[in-house]
């Protein structure tokens, strides 16, 4: 078992989580929790794959996947922002809806494997020569992985150092104050739910067009959307921490698949090699670790009194007392 | 005054009438809420029809098919009830937790663990193979309840102790539960290398209507089992608890206004754990009844997403335990007859649309919408 390969493919798998998590961070920073992430990712994965199959262009597929997920996110935006319904229930129903839609429209896509063109992978010259790190981060990775590297600092900079980013935070922390300064709370929340949808679609398309190409129904995402929602809390709504968490979880997912390979593990007999059934316990790990990450995230949030955007989950009603 | 108004003035565009939206000051009449639910269901069926039509199918035929193969004869009606039984129990599990605004999305996992617990009694074995049926039924119920409750306790405890978001933790527990069962199905109790345990002996089966066919010939071939009685009793008991007991009042109070509950001396963290325990127990009971009443062995794929459908059922029933019964029968029909409808995502989609329509319709419960003619200003 080559640890470098596991870490390298962990970075690739983690890129999916990264896009989904950062997208959700944007939506939640504006005050809207969207539990439909898993469904939106499926819609993105399915429509990207379908569009790529139809047009032959994976880039067009990527775009279609993003827009499809963005559009479907607006159902949640309308229900929670305009109709002021409970964000938890609305997000869950969006999830049902989106999963249903992608299963219906994805019929017959599974058989298209190896026909659909996918996004390119390549090594970065020079950087891939760096010992260890070069092989983990810069060798034969998907272009989406490299875009992910550039995306993280940009996402952080946007939230923390730009004027629109400040508006985003204001709307999520103290919408009444933002409103009084002429920032449109409603419009911004719609917008950032849309952004969250776009990134969820990007995450889904990254799976189906690049990281593990193909359409496998609900197994395409296999719960990664829910893990991403957990990661948002672990990341304390910070894109850089989100990247950190995503790559760790990516590597963990990869480890689960690879650990049954070698007969010895760190010099000991490998129990997973001799009894493959123990693999079921390994498969629990990413989910168990998500719960653990939640515990860590929640404890830290209580200690530092930071974290959750103050208006998260609350509808904004103009003229009403409160936040 | 209203969002609609401000949007209008911003765009400079004027409708010939004015839409006024005001928060309701009085409770709407009692028939209003069920009517809205009904409209939501009808609307969802229309959207489903549209999708089937777009997919090149005949929506009328599809719905006639559902109706015929779920309510068309005593035989299929009995099968519908069989599907409705686990739905009732998980629906009750969700409705109790949601009452407290505790989002237990983990009924699916608690269902799996309940099935595991029930199987344990037969396969470990806890009871000798030829023990009387009542001993098996009682012990399997207790074991299913115990394991379901345990699976509910973990996220409940984490929520109470560390303030861990229960939506994510319960959901993660679902995935863990599936792998847990898989280990036992593949490695421990696998029969002849197949991914299932051996068939339970007959005295570990819940009694079915067809068991009484020699006395009542009309029952011949009917698969409805004792789980129905269990589910109905559970619904009645839960109704009494929620609406007639002091503890039920405390739960409702926490759900409506946690701060008021705290001032009134109601311990929130204690109730979080307690409600998650009971909610998990109910879902575990659903798993037990499915294993002992229908599947008769432990295997993978024992649930077509019962736990998730339970969420919608609870919401459609407006968290009322007695209404859960009705909603479960409706969804039992959808799941039973929906199996043969292509493409496969249609039942999931209809569930989603029902849910979206329901939650959107809540807006009309909370607000009064009136349309008035715009006069010259």
């Amino acid at each position: 078992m080559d640890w470098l390969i596991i870490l390298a493919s962990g970075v690739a798998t983690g890129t999916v989580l990264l896009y989904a998590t950062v997208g959700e961070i944007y939506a939640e920073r504006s005050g809207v929790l969207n539990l439909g992430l898993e469904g939106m990712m499926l819609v993105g994965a399915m429509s990207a794959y379908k569009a790529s199959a139809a047009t032959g262009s994976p880039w067009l597929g990527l775009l279609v996947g993003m827009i499809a997920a963005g559009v479907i996110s607006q159902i949640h935006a309308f229900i929670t922002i305009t109709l002021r319904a409970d964000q938890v229930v609305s997000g869950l129903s969006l999830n049902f809806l989106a999963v249903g839609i992608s299963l219906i429209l994805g019929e017959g896509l599974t058989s298209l494997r190896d026909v659909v063109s996918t996004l390119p992978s390549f090594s970065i010259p020079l950087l891939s020569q760096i010992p260890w790190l070069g092989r983990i981060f810069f060798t034969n990775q998907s272009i989406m992985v490299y875009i992910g590297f550039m995306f993280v600092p940009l996402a952080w900079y946007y939230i923390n150092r730009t004027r629109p980013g400040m508006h985003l935070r204001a709307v999520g922390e103290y919408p009444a104050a933002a409103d009084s300064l002429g920032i449109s709370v409603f419009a911004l929340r719609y917008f950032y739910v849309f952004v969250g949808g776009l990134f969820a679609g990007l995450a889904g398309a990254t799976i189906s067009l690049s990281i593990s190409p193909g359409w496998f129904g609900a197994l395409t995402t296999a719960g990664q959307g829910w893990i991403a929602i957990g990661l948002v809390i672990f990341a304390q709504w910070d894109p850089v921490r989100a990247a950190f968490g995503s790559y760790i979880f990516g590597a963990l997912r990869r480890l689960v698949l690879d650990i049954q390979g070698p007969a010895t593990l760190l010099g000991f007999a490998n129990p997973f090699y001799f009894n493959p059934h123990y693999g079921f316990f390994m498969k629990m790990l990413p989910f168990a670790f998500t719960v653990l990450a939640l515990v860590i995230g929640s404890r830290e949030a209580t200690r530092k009194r930071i974290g959750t955007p103050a208006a998260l989950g609350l509808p904004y009603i103009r003229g009403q007392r409160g936040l | 005054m209203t969002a609609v108004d401000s949007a209008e003035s911003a765009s400079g565009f004027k409708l010939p009438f004015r839409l006024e939206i005001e928060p309701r000051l009085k409770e709407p009449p009692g028939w209003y809420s069920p009517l809205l639910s009904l409209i939501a269901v009808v609307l969802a069926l229309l959207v489903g029809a549209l999708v089937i039509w777009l997919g090149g199918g005949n929506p009328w035929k599809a719905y006639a098919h559902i109706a015929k193969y779920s309510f068309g004869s005593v035989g299929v009606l009995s099968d519908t009830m069989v599907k409705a039984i686990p739905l009732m129990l998980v629906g009750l599990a969700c409705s109790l937790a949601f009452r407290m605004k505790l989002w237990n999305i983990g009924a699916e996992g608690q269902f799996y663990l309940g099935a595991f617990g029930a199987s344990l009694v037969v396969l470990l074995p806890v009871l000798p193979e030829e023990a009387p049926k009542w001993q098996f039924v009682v012990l399997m119920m207790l074991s299913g309840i115990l394991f379901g409750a345990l699976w509910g306790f973990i996220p409940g405890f984490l929520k109470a102790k560390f303030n861990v978001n229960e939506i994510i933790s319960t959901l993660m527990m679902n995935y863990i539960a599936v792998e847990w069962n898989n280990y036992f199905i593949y490695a421990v109790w696998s029969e002849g290398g197949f991914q299932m345990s051996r068939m339970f002996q007959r005295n570990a089966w819940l009694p079915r209507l067809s068991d009484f066919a020699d006395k009542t010939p009309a029952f011949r071939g009917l698969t409805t089992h004792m789980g129905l009685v269990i589910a109905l009793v559970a619904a009645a008991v839960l109704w009494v608890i929620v609406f007639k007991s002091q503890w039920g009042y405390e739960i409702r109070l926490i759900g409506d206004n946690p701060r008021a509950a705290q001032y009134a001396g109601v311990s929130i963290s204690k109730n979080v754990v307690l409600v998650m325990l009971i909610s998990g127990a109910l879902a575990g009971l659903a798993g037990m009844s499915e294993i002992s009443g229908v599947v008769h062995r432990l295997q993978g794929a024992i649930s077509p997403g019962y736990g998730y459908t339970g969420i919608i059922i609870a919401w459609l029933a407006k968290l009322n335990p007695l209404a859960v019964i009705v909603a479960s029968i409706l969804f039992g029909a959808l799941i039973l007859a929906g199996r043969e409808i292509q493409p496969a995502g249609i039942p999931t989609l209809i569930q989603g649309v029902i849910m979206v329509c329901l939650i959107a319709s809540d807006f009309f419960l909370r607000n009064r919408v009136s349309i008035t003619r715009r006069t010259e200003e």
Side-chain angles (χ1 to χ4, degrees), chain B residues 61-139:
Chain B
K61 259 192 185 161
Y63 286 147
H65 179 92
I66 291 187
K68 190 171 165 216
Y69 286 92
S70 50
F71 298 113
S73 70
V74 180
V76 291
L77 185 65
S78 161
D79 289 345
T80 300
M81 296 315 277
V82 170
K83 290 281 174 217
I85 292 165
L87 290 176
M88 281 179 206
L89 287 165
V90 292
L92 292 174
C94 294
S95 71
L96 176 69
F98 293 178
R99 187 58 79 178
M100 225 178 101
K101 294 225 164 67
L102 194 59
W103 305 111
N104 178 13
I105 315 300
E108 183 83 356
Q110 292 144 16
F111 176 97
Y112 269 80
L113 259 282
F116 169 80
S119 307
L120 210 57
V121 175
V122 185
L123 297 172
L124 198 55
V126 177
L127 282 177
E129 204 164 311
E130 52 302 325
K133 183 172 243 174
W134 70 267
Q135 286 186 6
F136 265 111
V137 170
V138 170
L139 214 60

Side-chain angles (χ1 to χ4, degrees), chain A residues 83 93 96 107 223 226 229 298, chain B residues 162 168 171 175 308 343 355 363:
Chain A
L83 297 186
S93 28
F96 280 107
E107 274 256 304
W226 295 106
I229 292 176
S298 309
Chain B
F162 301 114
I168 316 293
L171 206 109
Y175 289 99
Y308 301 109
M355 188 104 167
F363 181 75

Side-chain angles (χ1 to χ4, degrees), chain B residues 127-191:
Chain B
L127 282 177
E129 204 164 311
E130 52 302 325
K133 183 172 243 174
W134 70 267
Q135 286 186 6
F136 265 111
V137 170
V138 170
L139 214 60
M140 285 169 88
M141 276 176 71
L142 287 178
S143 178
I145 286 175
L146 182 75
F147 277 86
L150 172 76
W151 222 239
F153 169 78
I154 298 171
F157 174 77
L158 291 176
K159 166 99 179 169
K161 180 94 180 164
F162 301 114
N163 195 23
V164 169
N165 183 319
E166 78 281 9
I167 304 169
I168 316 293
S169 60
T170 51
L171 206 109
M172 294 297 127
M173 301 289 286
N174 289 347
Y175 289 99
I176 297 176
V178 173
E179 299 302 341
W180 175 265
N181 273 15
N182 274 346
Y183 174 71
F184 285 88
I185 296 162
Y186 282 78
V188 183
W189 293 327
S190 164
E191 190 188 35

Side-chain angles (χ1 to χ4, degrees), chain A residues 137-207:
Chain A
F137 290 103
F138 302 111
T139 305
N140 211 12
Q141 294 282 24
S142 158
I143 184 161
M144 298 311 293
V145 173
Y146 301 127
I147 295 178
F149 295 156
M150 293 181 281
F151 170 67
V152 176
L154 286 180
W156 182 88
Y157 186 82
Y158 180 87
I159 292 181
N160 292 299
R161 292 286 182 274
T162 68
R163 180 170 277 272
M166 211 151 81
H167 289 179
L168 161 65
R169 283 183 290 146
V171 161
E173 297 286 349
Y174 201 163
D179 197 14
S180 71
L181 292 173
I183 302 169
S184 172
V185 177
F186 298 107
L188 276 191
R189 284 189 172 175
Y190 266 98
F191 176 71
Y192 284 109
V193 170
F194 184 69
V195 169
L198 286 183
F199 285 131
L202 184 65
T206 303
I207 302 177

Side-chain angles (χ1 to χ4, degrees), chain A residues 33 35 38 75 78-79 82-101 103-105 107 186 222-224 226-227 229-230 233 275 277-281 283-284 286-288 290-291 294-295 298-299 302 318, chain B residues 1-3 6 21 23 51 98 101 103 105 158 162-165 167-169 171-173 175-177 179-184 186-187 308-309 311-312 315 342-346 348-349 351-353 355-357 359-363 366-367:
Chain A
L33 170 73
L35 293 179
E38 173 90 0
I75 299 176
F78 176 72
I79 293 179
T82 302
L83 297 186
R84 299 169 200 151
D86 190 287
Q87 293 180 0
V88 173
V89 190
S90 170
L92 287 175
S93 28
L94 176 70
N95 197 51
F96 280 107
L97 194 69
V99 171
I101 289 177
L103 291 185
I104 291 170
L105 297 180
E107 274 256 304
F186 298 107
Q224 292 189 69
W226 295 106
I227 292 185
I229 292 176
I233 298 172
N275 186 350
H277 292 308
Y278 288 152
F280 291 117
F281 293 105
K283 281 193 197 158
M284 295 176 191
F287 305 110
T290 306
V291 177
L294 283 179
V295 175
S298 309
R299 285 182 61 115
T302 327
R318 189 177 262 176
Chain B
M1 166 191 51
T2 67
S6 53
I21 301 165
V51 173
F98 293 178
K101 294 225 164 67
W103 305 111
I105 315 300
L158 291 176
F162 301 114
N163 195 23
V164 169
N165 183 319
I167 304 169
I168 316 293
S169 60
L171 206 109
M172 294 297 127
M173 301 289 286
Y175 289 99
I176 297 176
E179 299 302 341
W180 175 265
N181 273 15
N182 274 346
Y183 174 71
F184 285 88
Y186 282 78
Y308 301 109
T309 306
I311 300 167
I312 305 175
W315 211 252
Q342 292 297 328
I346 293 266
T348 315
L349 179 84
Q351 294 183 21
V353 179
M355 188 104 167
V356 168
C357 294
I359 179 155
S361 75
D362 274 358
F363 181 75
R366 283 178 286 110
N367 298 284

Side-chain angles (χ1 to χ4, degrees), chain A:
Chain A
M1 187 165 62
D2 188 340
W3 292 100
L4 286 183
I5 290 179
I6 290 184
L7 290 177
S9 34
V11 169
T13 324
T15 302
V16 174
L17 285 171
L18 171 70
Y19 289 130
T21 310
V22 174
E24 181 73 14
I25 286 178
Y26 272 84
E28 292 194 16
R29 274 287 176 107
S30 84
V32 183
L33 170 73
N34 189 350
L35 293 179
L37 194 54
E38 173 90 0
M40 296 193 299
M41 282 172 73
L42 270 181
V43 166
M46 180 275 300
S47 26
Y49 197 64
K50 199 165 186 167
S52 175
T55 63
S57 159
W59 291 106
L60 207 59
L62 191 75
L63 190 69
V64 171
M66 287 176 74
I67 292 175
V71 167
I72 204 161
S73 76
Q74 293 304 289
I75 299 176
H76 179 66
F78 176 72
I79 293 179
T80 55
I81 300 167
T82 302
L83 297 186
R84 299 169 200 151
D86 190 287
Q87 293 180 0
V88 173
V89 190
S90 170
L92 287 175
S93 28
L94 176 70
N95 197 51
F96 280 107
L97 194 69
V99 171
I101 289 177
S102 45
L103 291 185
I104 291 170
L105 297 180
E107 274 256 304
L109 284 184
T110 313
S111 56
L112 293 179
R113 249 194 123 183
D114 306 325
V115 187
V116 178
S117 45
T118 54
L119 295 166
S121 296
F122 51 86
S123 302
I124 303 235
L126 290 177
L127 286 178
S128 58
Q129 303 301 317
I130 306 172
W132 306 93
L133 293 182
R135 281 196 55 203
I136 296 173
F137 290 103
F138 302 111
T139 305
N140 211 12
Q141 294 282 24
S142 158
I143 184 161
M144 298 311 293
V145 173
Y146 301 127
I147 295 178
F149 295 156
M150 293 181 281
F151 170 67
V152 176
L154 286 180
W156 182 88
Y157 186 82
Y158 180 87
I159 292 181
N160 292 299
R161 292 286 182 274
T162 68
R163 180 170 277 272
M166 211 151 81
H167 289 179
L168 161 65
R169 283 183 290 146
V171 161
E173 297 286 349
Y174 201 163
D179 197 14
S180 71
L181 292 173
I183 302 169
S184 172
V185 177
F186 298 107
L188 276 191
R189 284 189 172 175
Y190 266 98
F191 176 71
Y192 284 109
V193 170
F194 184 69
V195 169
L198 286 183
F199 285 131
L202 184 65
T206 303
I207 302 177
S208 68
L209 292 178
S210 177
I211 304 294
S212 46
W215 171 252
F216 313 98
L219 285 178
T220 313
T221 49
Q224 292 189 69
W226 295 106
I227 292 185
I229 292 176
L231 277 178
V232 171
I233 298 172
F234 172 74
Q236 306 280 314
W237 293 266
D238 172 14
V240 176
R241 282 189 62 146
F244 181 66
S246 299
Y247 293 139
I248 292 181
F249 267 80
L252 195 65
R253 279 176 64 89
R254 196 58 222 182
L255 180 71
V256 170
L257 297 178
D258 288 346
I259 201 161
Q260 293 179 0
T264 55
L265 203 59
L266 306 170
F268 296 98
N270 180 359
F272 299 101
Y273 175 77
F274 292 104
N275 186 350
H277 292 308
Y278 288 152
F280 291 117
F281 293 105
M282 282 304 287
K283 281 193 197 158
M284 295 176 191
L285 275 189
F287 305 110
F289 268 90
T290 306
V291 177
L292 193 70
L294 283 179
V295 175
I296 297 170
S298 309
R299 285 182 61 115
E300 198 172 358
T302 327
R303 206 179 60 233
K304 290 190 190 161
R305 299 182 190 197
I306 48 149
T308 323
L312 182 62
L314 304 173
Y316 176 60
I317 304 167
R318 189 177 262 176
Q320 205 175 61
R321 256 190 78 208
L323 279 167

